[in-house]
Amino acid sequence: LRHTLGSVYNDLGEYEKADAMHRKALELRQRVLSSEHPDVGRSLFYLGSTDGMLPSPEREALLRRALTIQLKVPNVDGNDLADTYQELSSALRAQGRFVDAENIARQSLAIRKSVLRIDHPRVANTMIALAQALGHQGRVAEAEVIHREVLGVFRKLLAADHPNVAKSLTNLGQALRDQSKFPEAETAFREALELNRKIFGNSHPTVNHAASELASVIMSQERWSEAETAYRELVSVTGNREDPDM
């Protein structure tokens, strides 16, 4: 129950409460179970997966301990194992260890593909982790290919206005922008902005970020008047006159 509550708090962005719940659950399990018990491993995973709280090296240590326990469990659930590898990849990426993050993400993806169909959303989410690790290494063309594939999966499985579709468009736009493919990036960012406005309204931070991405890529094409208009619209909503992307 504590882990369930912790996960709910994490999804709501209440990270301190999530961390407290997961820590208490781990403490209770360590009192009554052996250090190698699978439930202790799950508690370590939950704590290591809490967003925004622990320093990345500490997250890595928790997740590696969880992984060590999981790998000793006969017939371990493949998705649980892939989840731990994926979170570990995230912790490594946050430390700037992008090659290590890539290798771990590839392990997670291989496991996912062995237990789920190729177009399953959880496979797609692991592909995003791999693309992020590649992008941070400057391998943006490879990342672009993956983001296109993920977008195709989400368009196939989810509603046209699902947040994951919008996020995938943003990821694709960033990969295109980083290769100076500005017209294609603009198309992706425009669609992402339209979807985010439909999902969240006009004043949500996600919408503001999408508008900033679009204004930036317009500016990169030296369409100064359009970029100024887009930026003024953004300022009118956020009240922020300093846009680092501009």
Side-chain angles (χ1 to χ4, degrees), residues 26-100:
L26 175 61
E27 177 186 335
L28 291 173
R29 284 180 170 176
Q30 287 178 324
R31 286 180 187 174
V32 298
L33 300 172
S34 73
S35 60
E36 299 296 307
H37 194 281
D39 286 346
V40 173
R42 279 310 278 174
S43 291
L44 289 165
F45 166 79
Y46 279 119
L47 182 57
S49 302
T50 302
D51 293 327
M53 284 300 299
L54 299 176
S56 296
E58 186 176 345
R59 283 185 62 209
E60 178 190 352
L62 289 166
L63 292 165
R64 288 194 182 279
R65 284 174 59 196
L67 191 59
T68 298
I69 294 171
Q70 286 178 308
L71 290 171
K72 294 178 181 179
V73 176
N75 302 314
V76 62
D77 183 275
N79 276 312
D80 287 348
L81 194 58
D83 285 345
T84 306
Y85 275 116
Q86 186 171 326
E87 288 293 337
L88 178 57
S89 177
S90 173
L92 292 166
R93 190 173 68 247
Q95 297 176 68
R97 294 161 59 187
F98 302 126
V99 174
D100 290 339

Side-chain angles (χ1 to χ4, degrees), residues 154-216:
F154 284 150
R155 286 195 193 278
K156 176 182 176 182
L157 298 177
L158 305 174
D161 58 353
H162 193 281
N164 282 353
V165 175
K167 179 60 177 174
S168 291
L169 283 162
T170 298
N171 289 339
L172 176 58
Q174 290 168 343
L176 291 165
R177 178 201 60 205
D178 291 347
Q179 297 174 82
S180 299
K181 297 180 179 180
F182 299 127
E184 293 178 76
E186 179 183 346
T187 298
F189 285 142
R190 281 192 186 280
E191 187 176 354
L193 178 57
E194 180 181 343
L195 288 179
N196 281 317
R197 279 176 171 160
K198 184 176 181 180
I199 297 165
F200 300 111
N202 287 324
S203 59
H204 192 275
T206 301
V207 176
N208 298 337
H209 176 72
S212 177
E213 293 279 31
L214 177 58
S216 177

Side-chain angles (χ1 to χ4, degrees), residues 96-109:
R97 294 161 59 187
F98 302 126
V99 174
D100 290 339
E102 176 196 347
N103 292 335
I104 294 296
R106 289 190 185 280
Q107 288 180 264
S108 179
L109 185 57

